[in-house]
Amino acid sequence: MAILITGGARSGKSRFAEQYAAKLGTRGVYIATCQPYDEEMKERIRLHIQDRECSGFCWETREEPLEVALLLRQLTIRLTGEQQAGDALWTAPPVLLDCVTLWLTNWMLQSEGEQNGAARLNGQIEAFVEAVRQYPYPLLLVTNEVGDGIVPEYSLGRRFRDEAGRLNQRLAEVCDRVFLVTAGIPVELKSIAFRWDEL
């Protein structure tokens, strides 16, 4: 079961995702995609870790800025092994990836200026979406809704906005549930989505 959680900056997405995960199991795997480029970002990461540790929920944190598709395949193998070796009461720990747009940023910066950079980025996006589609256990994906603001001034910013919007659409297609969080209030979008067959 894959769940996409989107919204603006400081909308409450991550808090909602962590609370949702805590309802699904007694422990979880937290995939952190952020790379600390400066002291301010290092402090943000430290506070996030501290908040998770104080929550009372047991998180295994995996820092993976790029190879998320590979990590999801590895977790599938590991958790399937746990399930087969466990008892009938075994439940898969939810995996929470925070966040998709930082992962996309990492790959865009990695491939920027490369001769085949666009093709490499597209390949990574395809692999990631497919890994999400195939993941057999609870998976929560936090992403940012970046297309609601001003048009970025620079070409890389506009490209990022476009890539993020397209990626969010692709993920929404393969996820079972999609939440929009605004001002700390989550709304499940798929259940209220317009359907063409209703015309």
Side-chain angles (χ1 to χ4, degrees), residues 80-95:
T80 300
E82 283 183 17
Q83 181 182 27
Q84 292 169 349
D87 58 31
L89 299 177
W90 182 89
T91 57
V95 172

Side-chain angles (χ1 to χ4, degrees), residues 29-196:
V29 179
Y30 193 102
I31 302 176
T33 61
C34 183
Q35 297 188 83
Y37 289 112
D38 55 34
E39 291 305 315
E40 188 266 345
M41 190 56 79
K42 288 177 185 176
E43 178 63 10
R44 281 177 181 256
I45 291 170
R46 188 189 69 75
L47 290 173
H48 271 288
I49 292 170
Q50 180 181 309
D51 287 346
R52 288 197 302 273
E53 289 173 350
C54 293
S55 71
F57 188 72
C58 181
W59 287 107
E60 171 195 342
T61 300
R62 302 288 296 269
E63 295 184 13
E64 184 47 69
L66 294 168
E67 300 298 337
V68 171
L70 175 62
L71 179 54
L72 288 176
R73 289 193 296 273
Q74 291 170 344
L75 286 169
T76 298
I77 293 167
R78 185 185 104 188
L79 295 176
T80 300
E82 283 183 17
Q83 181 182 27
Q84 292 169 349
D87 58 31
L89 299 177
W90 182 89
T91 57
V95 172
L96 194 166
L97 187 150
D98 196 352
C99 79
V100 169
T101 39
L102 280 175
W103 171 85
L104 177 63
T105 298
N106 296 337
W107 271 112
M108 287 185 71
L109 293 174
Q110 183 90 1
S111 59
E112 182 70 13
E114 292 182 358
Q115 186 175 5
N116 296 318
R120 185 178 182 206
L121 177 64
N122 287 337
Q124 292 298 329
I125 289 171
E126 289 298 324
F128 175 56
V129 172
E130 184 60 20
V132 168
R133 191 184 67 75
Q134 291 187 6
Y135 191 75
Y137 302 112
L139 174 63
L140 297 100
L141 306 167
V142 176
T143 190
N144 287 288
E145 203 59 44
V146 297
D148 290 342
I150 61 172
V151 175
E153 184 177 350
Y154 301 100
S155 62
L156 182 59
R158 290 189 295 274
R159 186 167 159 244
F160 169 73
R161 178 202 56 188
D162 294 347
E163 293 288 357
R166 284 191 286 266
L167 177 55
N168 285 347
Q169 289 182 58
R170 296 280 310 282
L171 290 172
E173 287 176 12
V174 300
C175 286
D176 301 286
R177 303 186 85 182
V178 178
F179 288 91
L180 172 65
V181 183
T182 303
I185 301 171
V187 177
E188 205 284 309
L189 297 177
K190 280 201 164 181
S191 64
I192 60 172
F194 168 79
R195 289 170 176 77
W196 288 106

